[in-house]
Amino acid sequence: MVENGEQAAQASAPPRPATVQQPLGAARGPAYPPAEQLSSLNYCIHSNPTWAQTALLAFQHYIVMLGSVVMIASILVPRMGGDSGDKARVIQALLFMSGINTLFQALLGSRLPTVMGPSFAYILAVLSIINDFRDEDFSSEHQRFLHTMRAIQGSLIISSFVNILLGFSRAWGEFTKFLTPLIVVPYVCLVGLGLFGRGFPQLATCVELGLPMLVFLVVLQQYLKHLHPTAHPILERFALLVCIALVWAFAAILTAAGAYNNVGDATKRSCRTDQSFLMSSAPWIKIPYPFQWGTPIFRASHVFGMMGAALVTTVESTGTFIAASRFAGATPPPAHVLSRSIGLQGVSQLLDGIFGSIVGTNASVENVGLLALTSVGSRRVVQISTIFMFFFSIFGKFGAFFASIPLPIFAAIYCVLYGLVASVGITFIQFTNMNSMRNIYVMGLSLFLGISIQQYFVANTNGGNGRGPVHTGGGWFDDIFNTIFASAPMVAVIVGTVLDNTLNAHHASAERGIPWWGPFQKKNGDGRNEEFYSYPLRINEWVPRRFI
């Protein structure tokens, strides 16, 4: 058989290279591999700015956490019958205990740069206590306030053992081992998104102050810093203080010019810088001391509602710690670290009750967002911030001066800071397989129910007496469930943990991100755990081994 020319050419031609099928979109841009640490941090947990910058950054942390302190006192003290002087003393107690609790966590607890501040999770339980004394006769409104404070103290003291037992028994750490990056995404995301009510809705109560604050902060901190290399680090780290000073001065000018003389009471409370009367009523010097309101009152129905709030703060603080570890350049906190931090949070709540705080403590979400805004995750900065908390809690007039900042200014700041915390939760998605329909189902349902259920409970809760949609007739039972399901992170953890650990969990281990997440949860699973979470100095010698 004779080959023709074409067949001979085909036979002698080299074989065509096999076509390699590239991933979809690979030719359109770079693919970014998963990264355990954020690349844009200027200072991580162990690295520290200069002492001058550290002091300014620490003062900034104090200013940010002050908003929640003033907001909680403004909500609760008037309903208890307290006057401006009582409100000033409550703010002093909250600041003093925030300083102690922050120092405890930074030295002995999570070891992360997290500020510990008053928790909004306790508001429903406190409103329930206030409502119980509404119909009782007292010789004066001040006596009503003192009696209510004593009941709150007793409830905080007893309910603190929820966190103490969960933490120091290591039960909470064992539970957190069921978490995976797939659960952490909606969990941490809703730690930020679940606080949306303290953002723009509060900003809108005085839009002429809140909106300029929001716009100035975004423009100054994100856009103008690129104008000159020298301005970049200054505006990135301290633009928040500059914006607060500008808008606060504007609010003072409007107040002095009489712009709010003929407006409604709600507008006056939101916009005026002199509406709180804290400067005139705050003492010059006063150190909070144990049982300053009197002997605690213990009532079982009040304690159960506080126990529900204590459980919620356990969940919310854990999510905040995970977010803080990401912004500080640390590994995710191991199970034993979470156990000791929650146990110590229980000790902090016990001290809150003894020293007369109006609510318990949890990790401050807004201050974790400030770590991201400034790109400074230094532990030292947060430790130094406690000096400002102690100073302004003892010297009341100085603390009252900064407490006169209108709350819509803080709300504008929260719009940015809560968004940053929510977005860092989404970054954990890179360690999971989100092309899996199983994972999409688990994450989607956890996110949606976390937002939807919380919104239902918040919308159907009477802000005057704290009564929520669960009303079986048993007040303590109602308080527990109304508090639990009014927390978006709590709902997300419940739904996500159940679904992720029961829905074909064994065969989807890799897709859930367990190979990456698992080593961090063990004490010696990753060599960096000891670097970030070990105790300072020689404290290891006096602490039981299971908490080291």
Side-chain angles (χ1 to χ4, degrees), residues 323-348:
S325 68
R326 191 95 170 113
F327 287 137
T331 58
H336 73 283
V337 172
L338 292 174
S339 283
R340 77 189 188 200
S341 64
I342 294 303
L344 198 59
Q345 183 172 301
V347 175
S348 298

Side-chain angles (χ1 to χ4, degrees), residues 52-368:
Q53 291 190 41
T54 297
L56 279 175
L57 289 165
F59 178 71
Q60 202 165 225
H61 273 282
Y62 160 73
I63 289 293
V64 167
M65 65 85 59
L66 182 62
S68 294
V69 172
V70 175
M71 197 177 295
I72 288 175
S74 300
I75 292 172
L76 296 177
V77 172
R79 288 182 169 90
M80 298 163 61
D83 56 18
S84 299
D86 297 323
K87 180 179 174 182
R89 291 178 63 192
V90 166
I91 291 175
Q92 285 180 280
L94 289 172
L95 283 175
F96 187 78
M97 293 312 304
S98 294
I100 291 178
N101 299 337
T102 300
L103 208 54
F104 278 173
Q105 283 292 342
L107 292 175
L108 304 174
S110 68
R111 299 283 290 146
L112 290 165
T114 51
V115 171
M116 304 300 292
S119 172
F120 281 79
Y122 291 88
I123 287 184
L124 291 182
V126 173
L127 288 175
S128 180
I129 295 174
I130 296 171
N131 189 57
D132 280 354
F133 298 126
R134 191 179 301 276
D135 297 328
E136 294 191 17
D137 293 328
F138 295 94
S139 58
S140 65
E141 284 298 292
H142 182 66
Q143 287 301 316
R144 180 190 299 277
F145 168 78
L146 292 177
H147 192 82
T148 307
M149 281 299 306
R150 292 165 57 200
I152 293 171
Q153 279 185 270
S155 300
L156 285 173
I157 290 172
I158 300 299
S159 62
S160 67
F161 289 96
V162 171
N163 286 342
I164 291 174
L165 292 175
L166 279 175
F168 292 133
S169 69
R170 302 194 70 178
W172 183 247
E174 293 301 315
F175 170 78
T176 59
K177 291 180 180 179
F178 289 100
L179 300 180
T180 66
L182 184 64
I183 304 173
V184 168
V185 173
Y187 177 20
V188 177
C189 187
L190 291 185
V191 167
L193 292 183
L195 299 171
F196 67 90
R198 291 161 58 187
F200 200 85
Q202 184 69 39
L203 178 155
T205 59
C206 189
V207 71
E208 63 267 31
L209 299 181
L211 195 57
M213 179 66 199
L214 178 59
V215 174
F216 287 169
L217 181 57
V218 173
V219 172
L220 200 64
Q221 206 266 344
Q222 291 296 320
Y223 290 93
L224 295 186
K225 70 179 182 181
H226 298 293
L227 293 181
H228 195 275
T230 305
H232 189 283
I234 297 174
L235 292 180
E236 184 176 55
R237 294 169 202 170
F238 307 113
L240 182 64
L241 289 178
V242 175
C243 293
I244 290 176
L246 290 175
V247 180
W248 188 18
F250 177 60
I253 292 172
L254 291 179
T255 301
Y260 301 117
N261 291 346
N262 300 314
V263 296
D265 291 338
T267 303
K268 288 181 180 179
R269 286 194 299 269
S270 298
C271 301
R272 294 186 69 96
T273 57
D274 59 355
Q275 187 62 27
S276 60
F277 304 107
L278 293 177
M279 284 292 293
S280 58
S281 55
W284 277 104
I285 300 177
K286 185 174 182 61
I287 302 176
Y289 56 90
F291 307 117
Q292 59 179 320
W293 310 110
T295 305
I297 298 173
F298 302 97
R299 185 179 293 185
S301 59
H302 298 162
V303 170
F304 282 110
M306 284 289 188
M307 285 183 174
L311 185 59
V312 168
T313 59
T314 298
V315 173
E316 293 182 348
S317 290
T318 300
T320 307
F321 291 145
I322 295 173
S325 68
R326 191 95 170 113
F327 287 137
T331 58
H336 73 283
V337 172
L338 292 174
S339 283
R340 77 189 188 200
S341 64
I342 294 303
L344 198 59
Q345 183 172 301
V347 175
S348 298
Q349 183 174 326
L350 177 63
L351 294 175
D352 287 336
I354 292 174
F355 279 83
S357 290
I358 201 170
V359 293
T361 297
N362 71 348
S364 172
V365 180
E366 52 267 32
N367 286 89
V368 172

